[in-house]
Amino acid sequence: MKKHSRSRFQRLVRRTDISPLPEMPYFSQRAFTAFLLAGLLLSTLLATAQSPADRQKVESLLRQMTLDEKIGQMTQVTLGVVSTPEDGVLDPAALTKAIAGYKVGSILNVTNHALTVEQWRQVQTKIQDEAKKTRLKIPVIYGLDGIHGQTYTLNATLFPQNVGMAATRDPELAAAITKVAAKELRASGVRWNFAPVLDCGRQPLWSRFPETYGEDVYIGKTMGATVIKAYEEEGLKNPTAVASCMKHYLAYSDSRTGKDRTPIYLPEIEMREYYLPQFREAVKAGASTLMVNSSEINGTPVHASKYLLTDVLRKELGFQGVIVTDWEDIIRLHTRHHVAATPRAAVVMAVNAGIDMSMVPGDFSFFDLLKEAVQKGEVPISRIDDAVRRILLLKAKVGLFDNPYPEDAAAANFGRPEYQTLALQAAHEAMTLLKNDDALLPFKAGTKLLVAGPSARSISALNGCWSYTWQGKDERWYPAGSKTIVDALRDKFGADNVTTTAVTDFSSPANYDTMALKTAAAATNVDAIVLCLGENAYAESPGNIADLALPDDQKALARAAAATGKPVIFVLTEGRPRFITDIAPLAKGILLAYWSGRKTAEAISDVLAGDYNPDGRLPYSYPRSMGEMVLYDRKPTEDIREIFNADMTMDGYRPLFPFGWGLSYTQFSYSDLHLSSPTLTGAGKMTVSITVKNTGSRDGKHTVELYTREHYASITPSTRRLRAFKKIFLKAGESQTVNFTIDRNDLAFVNAQLQTVTEPGDFDVYIGDQQAAFTYRSPTP
């Protein structure tokens, strides 16, 4: 880029970390020169990051490969295609057909449940043995969905789902648990993980909501980029790292109906403001692969969108890794979306749009159809070579050409005792105390408790989706010694002090027997009732629901518990916010536990007993009712509730619990909010400091959050946006000055021309109950 051109480009817009776009219709195919140049520059930088030897190896292979061998590399099948009905047992004839016959380059998934480390290593070894028999001996890359730990290896360590990790507000902790997941994947012989989910959780009906980092863009991009780095930063040839996969590009979570894989209707200004930034940061963080949104946006399936996959992702964001489809999504361009008149047309559409690898996954139809399309001139061989080059570079990057077999050094990293300590820390920090009337919690030692509700003796309801099985419901596969809430409370308060009416099956009618609860409460002379409510595990479409309201039988149980006259504590184990508005007044305390993994029960008992001071903060606005689904970063007009012109209130944002809410057993006060300058100019930086004091009697962790608001802008500004956060630890009576540094990037927004800009104007900064003002000024031309 010439120097004078670059200067002119910089003058066009007050630039942030997101490049501006010219105004264009959504899904238009117009070229935009500035981004093409930026993309080419970034492509060059990324290309040089690959070792010369690896690139030379890949180019040599490409020159030797037949069309069949190339298309085979683009084909990904599920394990069931090459195995017998018995899990982990490969069918030699089927394996040979896939790898020798169809030249398949990638396999994924399990059949029914997680395998042992030894089974996985045997599976990987046999697959690579078969690949070594082929002409070019190209190894197979295996992918799994390790969503909150290594999902599909028995006895692997499971951590909180992403929404729980967002509640921790602890990126360092997110990095630490990610490194464990990478080690346990690699120990299983797997070098590619289909995680993290970067979809912004702004539609709580969506069944994949627990896999998101909640409703806020800043948390999503901060946590997401941190996790990407943690997976890959040690170097993918190292037996402690795996290739990450950012998903699901783009805006998958914004389904209009909330049902999985259903249409999205989204203005591009909103897409760029709330859904693209997470992927931009993930690309910067070095994500090796990307998985595509299974749905359609404004009538165009993302798998068929050259605009999103090539113009935005490749050219604008500069992503040079592998683009893989989600399950069966290319054929669905024909069978579901009805944008391709034939199966071959669907393949042509997707590959020409930018897809590199098809998760077919149950047959070899993609291979046959793509081969025919190339032979008919419908897909250029240059597009095939481009895709295959990326796939081979990924294989080189993860060290498969050096050694395709499970490494002995990796095996030693599985199941280490310290992982359980880390799992407990993560579950502790996720726990979010929503209510604590009369300081009933924590319970004193010796308190007699009645524990009831469907989650009380369920393990699956503590872990959620992707937990040793896809749905996570089959408790046969959970590690021996996994504790229920009843188990953990008995350990904590003594078996004689904890009685229960609950049974192990979440759905059993016995868990909803209101008379049994009342009788037990009267008979055992308990001091309080711990009522465990929420959701059992679910993943993807099976988790679709028509209503966010907590089921009636659970609400009836809450009323029965309150009718006993005993104080009631709700413990909510759920993947998304379920409406509890009508029963929340019945509870003295409410603890939101999310699905927090292997140590959820222990974390709950530690919080209830006061052995851990809760510090989780809501990563979403907990809604009060279906008619008031307003997010915290709302527009000012969303606050207005107008009957007549002069009859107006400003209470439109009235969730049951607001974004960022979370109580502690101690108190924190804020004072001395200070800005380093009343003016922020151009590319300068501003330091914001605040003094935080623990004014209570207990030590505790606390997240300090910085929000900003712009008074006036060319697009209606949000009421407030989270711009930074830091988690600190303060002993009782201790104070600490917390410093933040902000610049114009932190104040930016997407304007009507689809440019990300920072406009001059007046701003407010909010930290806790403190507020200060400053002015942003443009740089001098």
Side-chain angles (χ1 to χ4, degrees), residues 107 162 176 244 248 264 299 310 395 534 558 585 594 600 624 661 665 674-675 681 736 756 760 775 780:
I107 301 175
N162 281 354
S244 62
H248 306 81
I264 295 144
T310 297
K395 292 184 177 186
Y594 310 96
T600 307
R624 184 179 296 272
W661 181 259
Y665 294 148
H674 177 73
L675 309 184
T681 303
Q736 180 177 331
T756 299
T775 300
T780 302

Side-chain angles (χ1 to χ4, degrees), residues 515-780:
M515 186 55 66
L517 184 149
K518 292 179 181 178
T519 301
T524 57
N525 194 30
V526 297
D527 299 310
I529 298 174
V530 176
L531 193 57
C532 306
L533 307 173
E535 301 181 303
N536 199 4
Y538 53 81
E540 300 186 80
S541 296
N544 288 343
I545 54 175
D547 192 347
L548 276 175
L550 203 65
D552 288 343
D553 52 9
Q554 294 195 42
K555 292 192 288 185
L557 204 61
R559 295 186 183 98
T564 66
K566 306 291 183 179
V568 180
I569 300 295
F570 293 166
V571 173
L572 304 178
T573 57
E574 55 190 23
R576 55 197 160 192
R578 303 300 297 264
F579 293 140
I580 56 169
T581 306
D582 53 345
I583 60 171
L586 305 177
K588 285 285 189 180
I590 302 175
L591 177 65
L592 178 57
Y594 310 96
W595 288 338
S596 291
R598 174 71 186 274
K599 294 293 185 179
T600 307
E602 291 91 326
I604 290 169
S605 67
D606 285 346
V607 169
L608 295 183
D611 292 335
Y612 186 84
N613 189 358
D615 52 74
R617 302 191 73 164
L618 272 176
Y620 51 79
S621 303
Y622 204 112
R624 184 179 296 272
S625 64
M626 192 56 111
E628 296 288 343
M629 302 288 280
V630 181
L631 306 177
Y632 93 91
D633 51 2
R634 62 206 181 275
K635 303 295 186 180
T637 46
E638 291 182 85
D639 279 344
I640 297 172
R641 291 294 176 265
E642 188 174 41
I643 302 173
F644 298 105
N645 289 342
D647 188 2
M648 181 179 70
T649 63
M650 297 293 290
D651 58 356
Y653 182 66
R654 202 168 64 92
L656 190 62
F657 302 103
F659 175 85
W661 181 259
L663 302 175
S664 171
Y665 294 148
T666 190
Q667 296 80 44
F668 298 93
S669 67
Y670 294 82
S671 62
D672 302 325
L673 176 60
H674 177 73
L675 309 184
S676 58
S677 171
T679 304
L680 175 63
T681 303
K685 297 183 182 296
M686 173 182 289
T687 300
V688 181
S689 62
I690 188 85
T691 299
V692 184
K693 183 176 183 179
N694 182 343
T695 60
S697 59
R698 289 175 176 259
D699 301 346
K701 294 179 180 179
H702 181 67
T703 299
V704 183
E705 297 186 326
L706 183 154
Y707 297 82
T708 66
R709 178 181 74 92
E710 187 169 11
H711 291 192
Y712 298 95
S714 61
I715 290 292
T716 303
S718 295
T719 300
R720 62 175 57 195
R721 292 287 294 270
L722 180 66
R723 303 303 189 183
F725 59 83
K726 286 185 180 179
K727 195 162 193 175
I728 61 175
F729 174 81
L730 292 176
K731 294 181 178 179
E734 184 180 9
S735 297
Q736 180 177 331
T737 298
V738 178
N739 296 309
F740 297 97
T741 300
I742 61 173
D743 59 28
R744 64 184 178 187
N745 294 335
D746 299 305
L747 311 175
F749 65 92
V750 179
N751 68 11
Q753 290 72 45
L754 304 182
Q755 299 168 330
T756 299
V757 298
T758 303
E759 294 181 345
D762 295 326
F763 289 81
D764 290 325
V765 174
Y766 305 91
I767 302 180
D769 59 357
Q770 302 290 295
Q771 180 178 346
F774 69 94
T775 300
Y776 173 73
R777 292 177 179 167
S778 299
T780 302

Side-chain angles (χ1 to χ4, degrees), residues 5 18 20 50 55 101 116 182 185 208 252 274 302 310 365 374 522 528 540 605 623 696 706 715 723 759 769:
S5 298
I18 301 178
Q50 194 84 34
R55 296 194 66 82
T116 66
L185 278 154
R208 304 196 72 167
Y252 189 28
Y274 296 104
V302 183
T310 297
S365 58
V374 174
E540 300 186 80
S605 67
L706 183 154
I715 290 292
R723 303 303 189 183
E759 294 181 345
D769 59 357

Side-chain angles (χ1 to χ4, degrees), residues 207-230:
S207 59
R208 304 196 72 167
F209 189 89
E211 299 176 57
T212 77
Y213 288 109
E215 74 186 49
D216 179 67
V217 176
Y218 181 77
I219 293 176
K221 70 181 186 179
T222 301
M223 290 295 218
T226 297
V227 166
I228 295 289
K229 290 176 183 176

Side-chain angles (χ1 to χ4, degrees), residues 311-331:
D311 294 343
V312 176
L313 180 62
R314 293 293 192 203
K315 296 176 183 178
E316 181 185 338
L317 269 61
F319 177 63
Q320 291 301 304
V322 172
I323 300 175
V324 62
T325 76
D326 208 334
W327 190 272
E328 217 174 64
D329 279 336
I330 288 183
I331 191 62

